[in-house]
Amino acid sequence: MAWIESHQSLKDHPKTRRLARRLGISVPAAIGHLHCLWWWALEYAQDGSLAQYDADDIADAMMWDGDSQQLVQALVHAGFLDETGDGLRIHDWRDYAGRLIEQRERAAARKREMRQAYEDGVIDQVRARDGSICRYCGKTVNWKDRRGPDGGTYDHIDPNGPSTVDNLVVCCRSCHSRKGARTPQEAGMRLLPPGKHQVRSRSVPDPNQNGTGTNLPTVTVTQTGEENNPPPPLRGASPHGGDARPADRGATNPPDEQSGRVRRMIPHEAIKDAWNEICGAAGLPRVQVLSAKRRQYLTARCTELARYFGEQVYTVDWWRGVFHRVRGSPFCMGAGGRGWRATFDWLIERREAVVRLIEGHYDRVADAQTAFERTREQFQPGRTDEDFAGWRKRGGGST
Ligand SMILES: [Zn+2]
């Protein structure tokens, strides 16, 4: 979850007071609008540059109903925005989001490095040495298990060290998450010696050998029957995996080493198909294309919802249940009388829509109206949104 640093000095800072005076609002209101800007920027202006946005976008991001030009001028005057040759920038953005930016950069670098490690045959060498035995607990990992505790992954012994044969070991997910971004010593864990495997001399694997086991040396360890079943290597994998089938997607995602967690396999395509089958067939807009953005939203929602509902949110069945609730809700089906109907995007783009749906807020039309409005308030501003365009005109503008 993304977050910014919010200094207690903001409340009394002359800049904040200047902004409040300029806009004719209270200091707490100014603080609120500023936070909306910063939170929004975490997603939509990660480098702090607002060059691609106009005053209306900024006002929308800040949930500012007044004059957008006046707002931007006040922000510049107070020192929260800088006017540069390349357009507006958020002042001292790194101070607010520096840690997050660094974290993201580290995570991205680690992912690139791991992909390179697969391409360079480093991972093959690690597998040749460790087989399918977790180097921390000694149990046999299951390479087919893409998210359970017994599933296999690779651990950086020194979390800040390079992705080399010496620093990578086969590891079960259970040990991997227990260890986190710590050294074995820091985590109070012991690194077991590798099996009887020898590191292969050939460093570049044959790209035609696609994880069928033939590119691994003969294995002499007997604790496991998994040796003939290594995972497909990650060659040519892209972060969003194109249209790979769900079953393949887990295999093409390198583990998210930086955060110590493993990227979950989310059956994006199957979830989309279930929407079309359940809600599309009932008259709601069908999803034709699962764009990268939609995949990202779906991933974000799954990750979030897993905290409340557990691992089941990564299954199509769980989403089918959600879609049946959509279909069972008169409000979602358009009975609200304002011409609004639920869409796939509405459901996945907002943090609270699914939760409120499950809690039954949309079961009765009257309740649904309130829930809808609350969801709208939490909707991250600054994006084009057809769902809410009509709503803003009618409800939001109270016409
Ligand atoms: Zn283990």
Side-chain angles (χ1 to χ4, degrees):
M1 180 127 301
W3 51 279
I4 54 162
E5 294 195 25
S6 178
H7 296 269
Q8 89 271 21
S9 62
L10 186 66
K11 177 170 71 71
D12 301 312
H13 203 286
K15 283 169 66 172
T16 318
R17 291 169 178 267
R18 200 183 300 150
L19 179 70
R21 271 198 314 276
R22 273 265 168 155
L23 294 173
I25 58 177
S26 68
V27 168
I31 291 172
H33 288 299
L34 283 168
H35 276 76
C36 287
L37 174 69
W38 295 326
W39 290 328
W40 171 86
L42 286 174
E43 189 88 17
Y44 303 107
Q46 293 182 11
D47 58 357
S49 166
L50 301 175
Q52 55 171 318
Y53 301 106
D54 62 20
D56 285 346
D57 293 328
I58 295 168
D60 198 21
M62 295 179 72
M63 309 187 88
W64 175 253
D65 292 331
D67 185 292
S68 59
Q69 295 295 345
Q70 187 206 355
L71 171 71
V72 169
Q73 280 161 17
L75 287 164
V76 172
H77 172 77
F80 287 104
L81 294 186
D82 297 330
E83 279 175 317
T84 72
D86 299 325
L88 290 169
R89 286 193 69 82
I90 298 174
H91 184 72
D92 283 348
W93 177 237
R94 275 215 167 243
D95 289 352
Y96 297 108
R99 277 190 218 185
L100 178 84
I101 294 166
E102 279 166 26
Q103 202 183 351
R104 279 179 175 159
E105 283 169 355
R106 270 203 308 274
R110 185 36 62 88
K111 260 181 199 152
R112 277 195 303 276
E113 223 178 83
M114 278 301 281
R115 217 164 290 144
Q116 194 62 46
Y118 275 93
E119 280 170 18
D120 293 348
V122 169
I123 296 299
D124 284 347
Q125 294 183 59
V126 172
R127 283 297 304 280
R129 181 193 62 207
D130 295 348
S132 297
I133 309 293
C134 171
R135 287 284 300 276
Y136 294 107
C137 69
K139 82 179 168 199
T140 302
V141 303
N142 177 5
W143 293 110
K144 285 182 179 168
D145 180 349
R146 304 288 182 207
R147 49 173 200 259
D150 296 336
T153 184
Y154 300 96
D155 179 61
H156 289 80
I157 301 170
D158 171 0
N160 299 313
S163 298
T164 55
V165 178
D166 289 340
N167 195 41
L168 283 167
V169 288
V170 166
C171 180
C172 72
R173 281 210 180 76
S174 171
C175 290
H176 194 240
S177 66
R178 187 151 75 91
K179 181 168 172 285
R182 299 178 293 179
T183 63
Q185 289 79 5
E186 286 166 348
M189 295 164 81
R190 199 163 63 89
L191 189 66
L192 302 172
K196 297 170 190 165
H197 308 278
Q198 294 300 309
V199 174
R200 289 183 307 146
S201 51
R202 185 163 62 93
S203 63
V204 180
D206 181 352
N208 294 322
Q209 291 184 342
N210 199 18
T212 54
T214 48
N215 56 342
L216 288 174
T218 311
V219 167
T220 51
V221 162
T222 53
Q223 299 97 303
T224 170
E226 295 291 324
E227 309 305 339
N228 293 325
N229 229 342
L234 298 196
R235 274 175 226 114
S238 71
H240 293 294
D243 278 320
R245 298 302 304 162
D248 299 323
R249 285 189 48 74
T252 55
N253 285 331
D256 186 351
E257 302 286 334
Q258 199 278 332
S259 66
R261 287 193 309 263
V262 170
R263 184 192 283 271
R264 305 288 180 178
M265 189 194 73
I266 296 165
H268 296 92
E269 287 289 342
I271 293 173
K272 179 205 87 174
D273 292 344
W275 166 272
N276 286 342
E277 184 196 318
I278 295 163
C279 299
L284 296 180
R286 285 171 175 275
V287 178
Q288 309 282 351
V289 179
L290 205 46
S291 61
K293 204 75 198 165
R294 281 175 169 157
R295 280 177 191 276
Q296 279 170 20
Y297 276 120
L298 202 46
T299 304
R301 287 302 85 80
C302 284
T303 313
E304 240 166 53
L305 291 163
R307 269 185 247 132
Y308 314 122
F309 301 105
E311 300 276 307
Q312 53 175 343
V313 308
Y314 296 105
T315 64
V316 187
D317 279 348
W318 191 83
W319 283 95
R320 292 183 76 88
V322 171
F323 299 153
H324 277 293
R325 283 205 87 122
V326 171
R327 196 170 70 179
S329 153
F331 184 79
C332 288
M333 296 305 292
R338 289 170 177 262
W340 180 86
R341 289 179 307 165
T343 64
F344 187 71
D345 293 330
W346 166 75
L347 195 63
I348 62 168
E349 284 183 13
R350 285 152 198 89
R351 294 174 194 283
E352 300 297 326
V354 173
V355 172
R356 294 205 170 113
L357 184 76
I358 290 171
E359 286 175 348
H361 294 266
Y362 289 93
D363 291 355
R364 287 176 39 210
V365 173
D367 299 341
Q369 205 75 48
T370 321
F372 185 73
E373 201 154 358
R374 273 186 294 143
T375 308
R376 176 186 164 270
E377 282 162 16
Q378 297 203 344
F379 164 60
Q380 294 166 316
R383 305 189 59 255
T384 332
D385 190 306
E386 287 170 11
D387 297 345
F388 287 103
W391 171 267
R392 280 212 190 90
K393 259 181 236 136
R394 290 181 302 266
S398 66
T399 320

